[in-house]
Amino acid sequence: MQAVILAAGESSRFWPLNQRHKSLLKIIGRPLIWYTIEGLKKAGIKEIIIVQSPRKDIEEELKNYNFPNLKIKYVIQKKPKGMGNALWQTRNLTQDKFFVLNAERLDGESHLKLARFERAPLALFATYTSTPWVYGILKLKGNKILEIVEKPKPGEEPSNLKVVGTYLLPKEFFNYYQKVKKHMYDFEDTFNLFIKKRGAKMIKIEKESLGLKYPWDLFEITKYLMDKFLKPKISKSAKIAKNVVIEGKVYIGENTKIFEGAVIKGPCYIGDNCVIGNNSLIREYTNLERNSLIGAFAEVTRSIFQEDIHTHCGYFGDSIFGKDCRIGAGTITANVRLDRGEIKPVVKEEKIRTGLTSLGTIVGKNTKIGINCSLMPGVLIGSNCTIGPNSVVSENIEDNATFYTEFKGIKKEK
């Protein structure tokens, strides 16, 4: 049993969290690709080929983990030329039949168990979606697949069945790839050509599959992982004040300090060497990676903090912060619109429907935010930014920017 994991793309729609490959974001102390690999092992996979970018960030991160009885090979996609080109890099390593999936395909285990005895020349997984214009959509005649239509316009979608991103492919797929014109979506062209000549099997999944196209998809993935993998634990080296309240499924890592009056309501993950200040509230699917510091009188709910993030007092709801951010006292992430309507962030100059009425701010790595800042619902802030004190951020801020709300000051009479 062999699988190919695709982990070389730029993930432009995942900005501002795409400084590294999106599968390297950590939840419960491990990168997302770790869960994908473990799932493949459980499904019976013995060999994995990982396609990565020239940065080799996947290979570098996975050196920190052991995968007994599993053989992992790495190949490089020199430029992000799409899924077809990424898969082409594995042509000399793949066997007669192999699975293909994206690095963040956390539910790949269940997919592979359904398809491992499939005898069709080619099989794909599909599930229903309420936003077909975002995905590759199947055009069908009865149960027969006619083609994949990539991101159809609203109202022109041939069905509401999206391609999940897990495939069972034969070696001869590469022969068909050589016949199509090369561009970003030449994988879909190859797939459609193969269907016309040989046909394909659709394996339908009734429940919508976990995906990671946009950064806010991390919230659903965090919930899935915490419900499935989080085990309550308080490390022996953790120092917890006597009147701290801990309820529900909570993990507290090594050398973490929790001061007087703090309340932790699970499910929550608090990693190693964290600090939770006096009278702070941490609750409901919050994930704090190692070296996070939450100051006194802060509230953090349904939020994801990567490593080494420091905050003071403030409110952080339904928000994500990349590694090494610093957040000043009194900063608030607004996570609900005044009219309680759907929040639509702007991605690549286009408003995206999220289906969410609660969504805070998403911030890239190494960004500094001053005191008393107000961050509006659905705002995306890039990496390496500086946000001045008392600023109101109501629109996206690009990477490496400095942003200050204009302050006219107070006139003084002589």
Side-chain angles (χ1 to χ4, degrees), residues 209-223:
S209 186
L210 291 168
L212 193 59
K213 183 179 289 286
Y214 297 104
W216 50 86
D217 294 332
L218 272 174
F219 296 120
E220 191 64 29
I221 283 176
T222 298
K223 185 177 186 300

Side-chain angles (χ1 to χ4, degrees), residues 116-136:
R116 60 188 304 170
F117 300 115
E118 180 56 55
R119 294 185 177 182
L122 185 152
L124 62 76
F125 289 81
T127 190
Y128 295 102
T129 179
S130 57
T131 56
W133 51 87
V134 177
Y135 303 100

Side-chain angles (χ1 to χ4, degrees), residues 190-207:
T190 306
F191 201 98
N192 290 336
L193 179 62
F194 192 100
I195 291 171
K196 289 180 182 178
K197 300 291 185 180
R198 299 287 310 280
K201 172 75 176 292
M202 174 180 65
I203 301 174
K204 193 184 297 182
I205 305 168
E206 294 302 323
K207 186 178 179 181

Side-chain angles (χ1 to χ4, degrees), residues 233-240 251-256 272:
K233 176 184 176 181
I234 299 176
S235 299
K236 290 182 180 179
S237 60
K239 295 181 179 179
I240 301 173
Y251 180 100
I252 298 173
E254 300 288 343
N255 302 310
T256 284
D272 298 342

Side-chain angles (χ1 to χ4, degrees), residues 327-351:
I327 308 162
T331 290
I332 301 292
T333 63
N335 60 337
V336 177
R337 288 168 48 119
L338 287 175
D339 61 4
R340 301 304 191 260
E342 181 183 6
I343 297 169
K344 301 175 184 176
V346 176
V347 178
K348 301 178 77 170
E349 300 182 355
E350 178 186 358
K351 281 190 176 183

